[in-house]
Amino acid sequence: MTIENLSSNKSFGGWHKQYSHYSETLNCSMRFAIYLPPQASNGEKVPVLYWLSGLTCTDENFMQKAGAHRMAAELGIAIIAPDTSPRGDEVADEDAYDLGKGAGFYVNATQEPWSRHYRMYDYVLNELPALIEERFPVSDVRSVSGHSMGGHGALVLALRNPERYQSVSAFSPVSNPVNCPWGKKAFSAYLGNDTSEWAQYDASLLMQETSKFVPALVDQGEADNFLEEQLKPEALEAAARQSGYPLELNRHEGYDHSYYFIASFIEQHLSFHARYLLQS
């Protein structure tokens, strides 16, 4: 597979780089960002944290706004940030911020016209890690994290594939998408009207049924204007109580849905993942 380096910036002794490649899963060209800590330049294969961004975002939001490079460099953890959806003139889209490009919701779409390109679940789970592990000095030791729509994606990936991830965390995740406007709109379009198909992409429904636990950390701002209507962390808490899942969910007074919130607590999340990524 051919990949093209689009940019390179040295940061805290490591390198932040952007690449593009053609995705067989998504049938289009995709872009991703990677932060390689200094340890990766010394012949060491480092573990990887995959970051999934939220609605309207690209690979750039986290890398430029979260302030994660310093701690990642100190810990020796690579960070991969894919785009949030397929892109290109041939890719189906909608004149809305919460459906179409920028709003892939990390599902495998089954409905036309979305099914040709919108298979972000398979892309993040399989194709992208295979590419990263083949081309870069990283190991197959992985964790996953994300924000909002990306927090939903991270939780779903870890809950459905506990053997693939050492840990999972999320900021302000869409915790119960089958019961919120964002989720209902996206799932109806991408998956159809059979709501039984939606459950496989709902973190709360998955968590209440699972018996295989991946260490999980969630942070939620109490001043988040999407809290009650869209995010529903109480559904995730109830699911964890039902299954006995060891979920750590922290609420923070005064914090909103922005990257100011993420930047305030990203170092705690990286330290959390390091406990599991670096234990082997």
Side-chain angles (χ1 to χ4, degrees):
M1 181 184 296
T2 301
I3 65 173
E4 179 184 0
N5 181 218
L6 303 176
S7 67
S8 299
N9 305 94
K10 195 158 190 180
S11 178
F12 292 96
W15 288 93
H16 167 260
K17 300 184 179 185
Q18 282 181 311
Y19 288 88
S20 67
H21 74 105
Y22 186 82
S23 167
E24 298 289 346
T25 302
L26 304 176
N27 295 299
C28 66
S29 180
M30 288 294 288
R31 190 176 73 187
F32 66 87
I34 180 169
Y35 178 71
L36 289 168
Q39 294 85 340
S41 299
N42 301 325
E44 180 181 340
K45 285 195 171 186
V46 298
V48 182
L49 176 66
Y50 287 84
W51 173 269
L52 308 183
S53 292
L55 288 167
T56 76
C57 293
T58 69
D59 63 290
E60 294 183 333
N61 296 74
F62 178 82
M63 291 299 197
Q64 294 181 6
K65 296 180 179 180
H69 290 180
R70 186 194 68 79
M71 180 64 81
E74 180 180 317
L75 295 169
I77 295 172
I79 302 174
I80 308 295
D83 203 346
T84 51
S85 80
R87 306 278 180 174
D89 293 340
E90 75 281 8
V91 174
D93 197 15
E94 188 80 13
D95 187 19
Y97 79 96
D98 53 358
L99 187 67
K101 295 177 187 177
F105 264 87
Y106 305 100
V107 304
N108 288 337
T110 59
Q111 306 298 302
E112 295 292 343
W114 311 102
S115 56
R116 173 167 168 74
H117 298 287
Y118 285 76
R119 300 184 61 81
M120 289 296 294
Y121 178 88
D122 278 354
Y123 175 71
V124 174
L125 179 65
N126 295 314
E127 186 180 18
L128 184 59
L131 170 64
I132 298 300
E133 289 160 22
E134 177 186 354
R135 297 300 185 102
F136 298 96
V138 302
S139 71
D140 61 358
V141 180
R142 316 172 198 92
S143 290
V144 63
S145 185
H147 171 232
S148 194
M149 176 186 74
H152 138 77
L155 289 167
V156 167
L157 282 161
L159 287 163
R160 288 179 59 178
N161 306 277
E163 74 287 351
R164 297 273 290 177
Y165 300 102
Q166 302 300 308
S167 53
V168 59
S169 74
F171 290 87
S172 316
V174 183
S175 296
N176 190 206
V178 303
N179 288 317
C180 78
W182 281 341
K184 289 178 180 179
K185 181 176 181 177
F187 289 2
S188 294
Y190 298 147
L191 305 174
N193 294 322
D194 182 358
T195 56
S196 65
E197 295 295 316
W198 300 5
Q200 63 184 312
Y201 297 111
D202 187 292
S204 293
L205 297 180
L206 292 168
M207 186 172 284
Q208 73 182 15
E209 298 294 336
T210 190
S211 59
K212 295 182 178 180
F213 301 150
V214 177
L217 170 65
V218 172
D219 280 288
Q220 174 63 59
E222 291 285 80
D224 192 319
N225 58 328
F226 300 113
L227 178 58
E228 292 186 9
E229 184 179 29
Q230 304 284 10
L231 305 181
K232 302 186 181 299
E234 66 279 358
L236 201 63
E237 289 174 312
R241 287 194 297 271
Q242 181 170 329
S243 64
Y245 201 100
L247 170 70
E248 179 183 346
L249 195 154
N250 304 308
R251 296 171 182 264
H252 302 276
E253 183 179 355
Y255 286 94
D256 59 19
H257 200 70
S258 72
Y259 264 81
Y260 294 110
F261 175 43
I262 296 170
S264 297
F265 295 97
I266 190 60
E267 292 195 354
Q268 287 92 322
H269 279 239
L270 287 169
S271 295
F272 166 79
H273 290 296
R275 295 205 299 268
Y276 305 100
L277 288 170
L278 303 175
Q279 66 182 355
S280 58

